[in-house]
Amino acid sequence: MAASLWMQFILIVLMASGAVLILRKEEGRRSLYHNPDNVPRYLLILIPFSLGTMGMLLFSDQFSVLTRPLFSGIQIGLIRWPTAILWVFIADIACTAILVLLTGGSYGSPFTSVYFILPALAFFLRESPQRVLAYTLAIGALFVIELWVYEEETKSVKGAVCVVSVGCLILSGWIGYLTRPH
C-alpha cells in the first residue's frame, strides 16, 4: 500500500524531470522535436495526472485505515483498493503514451523506458497476473504503434527495435510472473 504511493511519486518525479530537461533543451534549440509547441503542453499533462493518481491512492479504502486517526475516526476511503490501483496503472500507461507521442514516438522519446518498468511494478504491487498481462499487452501495442508514428532516417532499424523491445517486455513479464510471491 505505501509502496504504491512511493512508486507513483518516484514515477511522477522521473517523468517531470524528463519533461523539464526537454523544456530546457527546447529553449535553446527549437528544432529538437517535430512540434516544439507541444513541450509546454506535456508539462501541463503531468499536473492532473499526478493529482489524479496520487489522489486515487490516498482516497482508497486501504489508505483510509491509516488516516482514520487524523480525521477523528472518519473513514475517507472513497474507492476500493483494487479499483484504485487498476486506474492508477491505466493512467500511468495513458500518460506515458501521451508523453511518448509528443516527444518523438517510441524510438526517440525519453519516456519510452517508463513503459517497460510498469509491468514489473504491477507484479511488485501484487497485481493479479491477468491484470499484468493486460497492462503488458496494452503497453506492447502502444509501443509498436508509437514506434511507427514518425518517419525518420531510423526506418531501417525500427523492425529490430520493435522485436528486441517487445521481446524484452515479454521476457520481463514472464520472469515477473514466474517469480511473483504466492
Side-chain angles (χ1 to χ4, degrees):
M1 172 177 49
S4 66
L5 198 56
W6 274 105
M7 176 223 47
Q8 197 60 30
F9 176 76
I10 292 169
L11 192 61
I12 289 166
V13 168
L14 289 171
M15 289 176 160
S17 298
V20 167
L21 289 171
I22 291 172
L23 181 59
R24 289 182 59 199
K25 189 74 164 176
E26 269 298 302
E27 290 171 352
R29 294 176 48 208
R30 295 310 258 170
S31 63
L32 181 63
Y33 292 107
H34 300 290
N35 190 356
D37 295 334
N38 281 333
V39 175
R41 192 176 312 153
Y42 68 76
L43 282 174
L44 293 176
I45 289 168
L46 289 171
I47 294 169
F49 164 73
S50 302
L51 293 173
T53 56
M54 298 289 277
M56 261 188 257
L57 294 172
L58 289 171
F59 289 101
S60 71
D61 56 357
Q62 292 292 316
F63 271 98
S64 72
V65 172
L66 296 175
T67 58
R68 201 175 303 167
L70 296 171
F71 297 108
S72 302
I74 298 172
Q75 184 169 345
I76 59 167
L78 303 175
I79 186 169
R80 290 180 15 100
W81 176 255
T83 305
I85 200 76
L86 169 68
W87 282 106
V88 165
F89 273 104
I90 289 171
D92 287 344
I93 293 168
C95 185
T96 303
I98 292 167
L99 292 173
V100 167
L101 190 61
L102 292 175
T103 57
S106 294
Y107 186 80
S109 175
F111 300 101
T112 300
S113 56
V114 175
Y115 276 145
F116 300 105
I117 193 68
L118 293 174
L121 292 173
F123 273 123
F124 175 70
L125 295 175
R126 301 208 175 24
E127 281 283 81
S128 71
Q130 294 83 6
R131 281 192 181 178
V132 177
L133 178 61
Y135 302 151
T136 304
L137 291 173
I139 289 166
L142 288 166
F143 175 84
V144 170
I145 290 167
E146 291 179 330
L147 183 63
W148 299 98
V149 168
Y150 291 96
E151 289 295 322
E152 300 171 5
E153 64 278 355
T154 59
K155 194 174 189 177
S156 62
V157 296
K158 283 186 177 180
V161 169
C162 183
V163 168
V164 172
S165 298
V166 172
C168 288
L169 179 65
I170 292 168
L171 177 62
S172 67
W174 183 52
I175 290 170
Y177 175 76
L178 294 175
T179 60
R180 75 189 186 286
H182 294 281

